[in-house]
Amino acid sequence: MKSTIVLLGPPGSGKGTQGEKLSDEFGYVRLSTGDMLREAVRNGTELGKKAKSYMDAGGLVPNDIIIGLMKEKIAACNGKVLLDGFPRTVEQADALAEQLDVDLALNLDVADEELISRLTNRRSCPDCNAVYHLVTKKPKKDGVCDKCGAQLYQRDDDKEATVKNRLEVYRKNTMPLIDYYQKKGTLVTIMGVGSIDEIYEKVRKAVQRISMRGGPPPRPLPLCQTSRSIPSTRCWPYPNLYLSPLFRVIQ
Ligand code: AP5
């Protein structure tokens, strides 16, 4: 079955952490633009050389580079795709919409103070891209990746000054996508506060609802008529996601 999920949310909101769990459980192919770009920088490829200065400053890599890269990667996937870090601008979202339909845009909402603490305490694996946290998700052995044994490192863009710039860039360029997907009727916002497992429970419920697609159309609900921003054709496959305000923001 084809299915596309977009993970939205500010830097450090847990897109990578939750995305990894989702792809393990539901078999989505996770495409993380951040991981791809960091690998390109490490390998000194043309893409890496072009991207490095933008990433180091906490800015966005230009749209044409990212759109070209993702078009190819997405074309190579023919099933369940989980997009982590793409799209990040309206222009990228429009380019994606030309290629495929997004079934669910999952927005992780976390306050700035918590984001800064998460990012400055994050440690990452350069080889398998696993992510740890010095307090909430420690590796079994200090500084060593549980999964592949590589030495963990702190990303250059996880220093506090760069993190603050990334948050600004997010607000200016990426936050408008919340409205973009809200208007398309595919947005679910999850409050990304609590333990990783507690948040994952909410994430998986949202994803389980999109797997209901293809089942028998449920009874129409009265709320259907009240939700004007949501096209009525979207109502039947995802009743709880789109029709009931209670389910559109999962606390
Ligand atoms: P990218 O790598 O995508 O960075 P990001 O979006 O800023 O996201 P992060 O990876 O920093 O955070 P996350 O939300 O995945 O959080 P995580 O799960 O790791 O992009 C890097 C750069 O590449 C960009 O700045 C840009 O330059 C460029 N780029 C990428 N895509 C682009 C695009 N489309 N267009 C243009 N440029 C692009 O969690 C963070 C930490 O918190 C971890 O330590 C984790 O263990 C911990 N944590 C997670 N959940 C919890 C929890 N519930 N409680 C406590 N700790 C938690």
Side-chain angles (χ1 to χ4, degrees):
M1 187 188 86
K2 278 198 168 197
S3 168
T4 304
I5 298 177
V6 164
L7 291 178
L8 291 177
S13 55
K15 300 182 295 296
T17 303
Q18 299 296 332
E20 195 183 326
K21 286 167 104 46
L22 269 184
S23 58
D24 286 350
E25 179 173 352
F26 291 92
Y28 281 84
V29 174
R30 178 172 153 249
L31 297 179
S32 157
T33 40
D35 288 348
M36 285 175 208
L37 292 169
R38 277 184 292 280
E39 193 182 330
V41 170
R42 269 195 302 275
N43 294 337
T45 65
E46 274 311 303
L47 170 66
K49 284 178 197 155
K50 285 182 195 159
K52 188 174 183 323
S53 59
Y54 300 100
M55 296 173 75
D56 285 349
L60 292 183
V61 176
N63 281 326
D64 56 334
I65 298 178
I66 294 290
I67 290 170
L69 168 73
M70 289 308 281
K71 257 200 177 135
E72 263 181 43
K73 298 281 178 189
I74 291 169
C77 297
N78 193 20
K80 293 172 152 190
V81 186
L82 181 70
L83 298 172
D84 171 356
F86 178 85
R88 247 177 164 99
T89 62
V90 170
E91 196 177 330
Q92 292 179 17
D94 284 340
L96 175 63
E98 282 173 20
Q99 199 172 4
L100 45 71
D101 287 330
V102 170
D103 299 289
L104 175 65
L106 208 49
N107 174 40
L108 296 172
D109 190 4
V110 180
D112 280 11
E113 206 174 289
E114 169 74 9
L115 294 171
I116 292 169
S117 154
R118 284 187 190 178
L119 290 175
T120 49
N121 282 298
R122 172 166 61 186
R123 295 297 179 267
S124 308
C125 176
D127 288 353
C128 71
N129 299 314
V131 166
Y132 300 87
H133 185 279
L134 295 180
V135 181
T136 57
K137 196 184 170 200
K138 288 184 185 178
K140 289 186 187 114
K141 191 173 167 205
D142 271 359
V144 178
C145 179
D146 292 348
K147 292 190 175 171
C148 71
Q151 202 67 34
L152 302 178
Y153 78 113
Q154 181 176 30
R155 276 169 47 176
D156 285 341
D157 62 351
D158 278 350
K159 311 269 161 62
E160 191 163 340
T162 318
V163 166
K164 286 185 173 157
N165 190 38
R166 285 163 66 197
L167 290 173
E168 281 303 309
V169 168
Y170 165 78
R171 268 190 277 277
K172 186 166 168 244
N173 298 280
T174 311
M175 249 182 130
L177 293 182
I178 295 177
D179 198 38
Y180 181 98
Y181 285 112
Q182 172 78 50
K183 285 186 178 137
K184 288 188 183 283
T186 49
L187 184 81
V188 171
T189 291
I190 287 178
M191 307 314 284
V193 191
S195 74
I196 291 171
D197 288 342
E198 282 164 356
I199 295 163
Y200 184 62
E201 266 316 295
K202 302 176 204 170
V203 165
R204 83 198 282 271
K205 276 184 191 145
V207 172
Q208 275 169 339
R209 287 191 189 102
I210 64 164
S211 2
M212 285 164 48
R213 198 163 49 159
R219 259 183 318 122
L221 299 176
L223 280 168
C224 191
Q225 281 98 48
T226 66
S227 190
R228 287 203 198 137
S229 63
I230 299 161
S232 57
T233 50
R234 279 287 192 188
C235 293
W236 73 263
Y238 319 119
N240 292 331
L241 282 182
Y242 304 129
L243 302 184
S244 164
L246 287 176
F247 282 90
R248 282 164 71 196
V249 176
I250 302 177
Q251 298 287 336

